[in-house]
Amino acid sequence: MKKIWLTILILILAVALVAGCGGPAQQSQQGSSSNNTSGTSTPAKDSIVIALQGEPTTLDPQYPDDGNMRAVTDNVFERLLELDGKTLEPKPGLATDIKAVDSTTWQLTLREGVKFHNGDPFTAEDAVFSIKRIIDPAYKSQIAGNFSTIKDAKVVDAKTIQIITDGPDPILPKRLTKLDIVDKKYVEANPDKVATAPVGTGPYQVESWNRGVDIKIKAFDGYWGNKPAIKAATYRFIQEGSTRLSALKAGEIDLAVNMLPEYVDQLPEYKTSDGIEFTFLRFNTLRGPMKNKLIRQAACYAIDRDTLAKSLFMGYANVAQGQMAKPGYFGFNDSLKPYPYDPEKAKQLLKEAGYNGEVIQLVSERGRWLKDGELSEAVASMLTDAGFNVKLTFLSWQEWLDTLFNVEKAPDIMFSSNGNELFDMDRFYQAIIKTGGPQSTYSNPEIDKKITEARNEMDTQKRLQLYKELSQAVYDDPFGIPLLNLKDIYGMSKNLDWEPRQDSRITVYEMKLK
């Protein structure tokens, strides 16, 4: 297997040479960079083409945890509160004001004069319906964990609603920046159309979805806010990075996500941001070989994260500091460091654990995140080198999503990535660590108790200390392996003016054409 890992590195180098890259990128990883090489300028126009790495599974914004979908729906739907792309703080959205009435009740004043794309007025009933829909267990939203503190919502008057939580929730305003508002009458009357012909209040409305080909959106004439400069956008689904590169160079597209580091020097222009995605391996600690703590610790010592960041991602990734967070996230523990790369220590732990070479299932996908397939192959190779008997299986995107959330059928190890748009560790612990969380294959009553305590703690310093204790606990008793924080690399045409956001949202309404 070691030969396989070496082969992967050789192939990466070959791609870099073909791309004319000539070695690891040395540009600043912050802000933006620009090349004036082989790009083809496009004539002035008022529409753009965006290349996604995959096709959305649905356009119902309240159901899936699907980044391809969000790239579209973030422009079609709005939230009661929006997240500022620079400060990452909540700001007015469909609600103009929010205040705490008491420790469990929040009151919001709704914006007037807002219409849905079908002409329906936005009402307090729509806001309450949207909240109740996403927390309804029967709806089985994959992102319901973000809103699990919400117990109820009710209409106060035509422009006022209240949200009731099951306890003090200091980050409810941030949660609301993730909750898309849908049209109550439309959803109830057209349950089968919501996923394909959605109706929001955003600056763009969906014009068409040609399955397997593209999705088109156009500016909504009745939008209440500032009119966007871009009048229309087409999303194309191009999985291969080389094809996205060719399309950019040919002037066929204006923006491409997840560009390979090897291609940066060939892009007409590119911009980067730190990104929110943390790749990680999730252990099934509930059953099978990974239930053994020593075997899990052995896996942690088997992975050379520094080599992955430098060789596989050419510096466009940072090694996770033993946790699913980076400085700036609320709850980041600056005393934690990643497990050191020590394959001999891993072999020793496997021997102590009595590991007999049984097959370890590693399940992944290919095409959703930057170099996800290559990363999965590399970690499988490193685990094998350390003495694990690994069987790596790639699933389609939909199969992978179904497996991620079906914890009863979880494999021994699952490659995944987590984008924490709340920038608060509550999201991670609720979804992935707490017993019964939508992605959790971990269970520890003492940790569960502390997770709940942290969620309801209104004292900022006490809450921060609780998260530091939690990060140490799941480091010592590994839930999985935090791998890398991936940087976003956007390939752009020279005439597109846009600054990537820290929350990785692809906001057409913030773009301009030069």
Side-chain angles (χ1 to χ4, degrees):
M1 186 64 89
K2 188 171 184 177
K3 291 181 178 178
I4 295 176
W5 170 230
L6 290 173
T7 301
I8 293 170
L9 288 178
I10 291 170
L11 288 172
I12 292 167
L13 179 60
V15 171
L17 291 173
V18 169
C21 194
Q26 299 298 318
Q27 293 89 346
S28 168
Q29 303 302 296
Q30 304 293 331
S32 65
S33 298
S34 175
N35 296 312
N36 295 309
T37 55
S38 56
T40 302
S41 296
T42 53
K45 56 182 183 178
D46 60 3
S47 63
I48 61 171
V49 179
I50 299 172
L52 303 179
Q53 204 164 349
E55 185 168 13
T57 54
T58 173
L59 291 180
D60 179 347
Q62 292 198 314
Y63 175 70
D65 194 1
D66 181 349
N68 291 317
M69 176 211 70
R70 287 197 298 273
V72 180
T73 58
D74 279 346
N75 297 285
V76 174
F77 289 89
E78 294 181 295
R79 283 62 47 186
L80 292 172
L81 299 176
E82 300 289 350
L83 198 66
D84 188 292
K86 294 181 179 177
T87 67
L88 301 180
E89 293 298 324
K91 64 179 185 180
L94 291 179
T96 57
D97 182 60
I98 181 172
K99 63 181 180 181
V101 176
D102 55 41
S103 63
T104 59
T105 305
W106 296 76
Q107 184 158 300
L108 294 93
T109 303
L110 305 183
R111 188 178 298 278
E112 298 182 78
V114 177
K115 290 184 178 180
F116 286 98
H117 301 147
N118 59 358
D120 288 347
F122 163 63
T123 67
E125 284 77 12
D126 296 312
V128 168
F129 172 79
S130 299
I131 295 168
K132 289 189 173 184
R133 182 178 186 242
I134 208 165
I135 64 174
D136 183 357
Y139 180 55
K140 298 180 180 179
S141 171
Q142 294 175 351
I143 55 175
N146 289 327
F147 315 107
S148 58
T149 61
I150 299 177
K151 182 180 177 181
D152 199 6
K154 63 181 181 182
V155 174
V156 176
D157 58 39
K159 61 177 184 178
T160 310
I161 69 166
Q162 288 187 344
I163 297 175
I164 298 90
T165 59
D166 59 6
D169 182 4
I171 65 168
L172 183 78
K174 276 197 171 180
R175 296 186 197 286
L176 297 181
T177 66
K178 288 274 293 178
L179 202 161
D180 293 84
I181 299 301
V182 298
D183 181 340
K184 177 177 184 291
K185 286 197 303 183
Y186 181 77
V187 171
E188 290 180 336
N190 304 278
D192 296 333
K193 294 178 64 176
V194 177
T196 56
V199 170
T201 64
Y204 292 92
Q205 61 187 107
V206 173
E207 184 176 22
S208 64
W209 184 355
N210 188 4
R211 290 278 186 179
V213 180
D214 62 31
I215 292 175
K216 295 181 183 295
I217 63 174
K218 63 180 181 181
F220 173 42
D221 290 338
Y223 184 55
W224 62 269
N226 294 329
K227 306 298 182 186
I230 304 293
K231 301 303 180 187
T234 298
Y235 298 88
R236 290 176 54 190
F237 322 124
I238 306 177
Q239 182 173 353
E240 293 299 325
S242 59
T243 306
R244 294 197 296 279
L245 171 65
S246 298
L248 263 173
K249 294 174 70 174
E252 297 172 358
I253 60 177
D254 301 278
L255 176 69
V257 303
N258 287 354
M259 293 307 301
L260 297 176
E262 294 90 333
Y263 296 157
V264 161
D265 283 355
Q266 288 196 82
L267 294 169
E269 187 165 348
Y270 75 94
K271 293 187 178 181
T272 68
S273 67
D274 279 348
I276 61 173
E277 294 291 348
F278 272 89
T279 56
F280 69 106
L281 302 179
R282 184 189 73 178
F283 298 147
N284 186 347
T285 71
L286 305 178
R287 62 188 71 86
M290 304 311 288
K291 187 176 181 178
N292 188 314
K293 177 180 174 180
L294 292 178
I295 294 179
R296 283 182 273 139
Q297 290 178 325
C300 293
Y301 284 109
I303 306 301
D304 185 354
R305 300 163 189 76
D306 283 325
T307 294
L308 293 173
K310 293 174 183 175
S311 299
L312 191 57
F313 291 92
M314 303 173 69
Y316 288 96
N318 293 322
V319 173
Q321 296 302 296
Q323 58 202 299
M324 299 285 288
K326 57 186 179 183
Y329 282 41
F330 188 88
F332 178 77
N333 187 338
D334 54 10
S335 68
L336 278 185
K337 304 298 178 187
Y339 276 74
Y341 174 53
D342 190 342
E344 295 306 315
K345 177 75 172 179
K347 293 176 183 176
Q348 176 190 335
L349 287 170
L350 287 179
K351 185 176 181 181
E352 291 178 18
Y355 176 63
N356 59 10
E358 62 188 296
V359 172
I360 304 288
Q361 299 173 327
L362 169 57
V363 168
S364 184
E365 53 72 56
R366 190 191 295 273
R368 167 62 182 87
W369 293 285
L370 186 66
K371 292 193 172 185
D372 43 15
E374 295 92 331
L375 181 56
S376 298
E377 289 168 343
V379 298
S381 176
M382 290 175 174
L383 289 169
T384 301
D385 289 345
F388 287 85
N389 182 9
V390 178
K391 179 182 180 182
L392 172 60
T393 302
F394 286 104
L395 303 179
S396 69
W397 174 238
Q398 186 61 62
E399 291 171 334
W400 181 89
L401 278 175
D402 292 342
T403 303
L404 180 71
F405 291 99
N406 188 351
V407 296
E408 294 300 320
K409 296 183 178 180
D412 301 316
I413 305 176
M414 187 160 187
F415 172 84
S416 186
S417 183
N418 184 259
N420 189 342
E421 295 176 350
L422 299 181
F423 303 94
D424 188 292
M425 292 309 289
D426 175 81
R427 173 187 163 99
F428 165 69
Y429 287 110
Q430 293 289 337
I432 297 173
I433 301 299
K434 191 175 183 180
T435 303
Q439 301 180 42
S440 176
T441 50
Y442 190 91
S443 182
N444 182 317
E446 290 300 316
I447 287 179
D448 288 349
K449 181 180 178 182
K450 190 163 291 188
I451 291 172
T452 300
E453 187 179 352
R455 162 169 279 193
N456 297 139
E457 178 57 64
M458 299 298 285
D459 184 300
T460 301
Q461 290 306 312
K462 289 181 179 178
R463 187 163 169 267
L464 181 61
Q465 180 59 33
L466 286 168
Y467 282 132
K468 288 187 175 183
E469 293 171 8
L470 281 166
S471 60
Q472 184 68 59
V474 296
Y475 178 89
D476 296 335
D477 182 32
F479 75 96
I481 307 177
L483 294 172
L484 304 171
N485 170 220
L486 305 183
K487 293 181 179 295
D488 294 330
I489 306 176
Y490 300 94
M492 299 171 63
S493 62
K494 289 182 176 179
N495 64 336
L496 184 63
D497 181 8
W498 179 62
E499 289 299 324
R501 294 165 57 101
Q502 294 303 307
D503 59 5
S504 297
R505 288 185 177 181
I506 301 172
T507 48
V508 179
Y509 54 87
E510 293 180 325
M511 299 177 188
K512 296 179 181 177
L513 291 167
K514 299 175 184 176

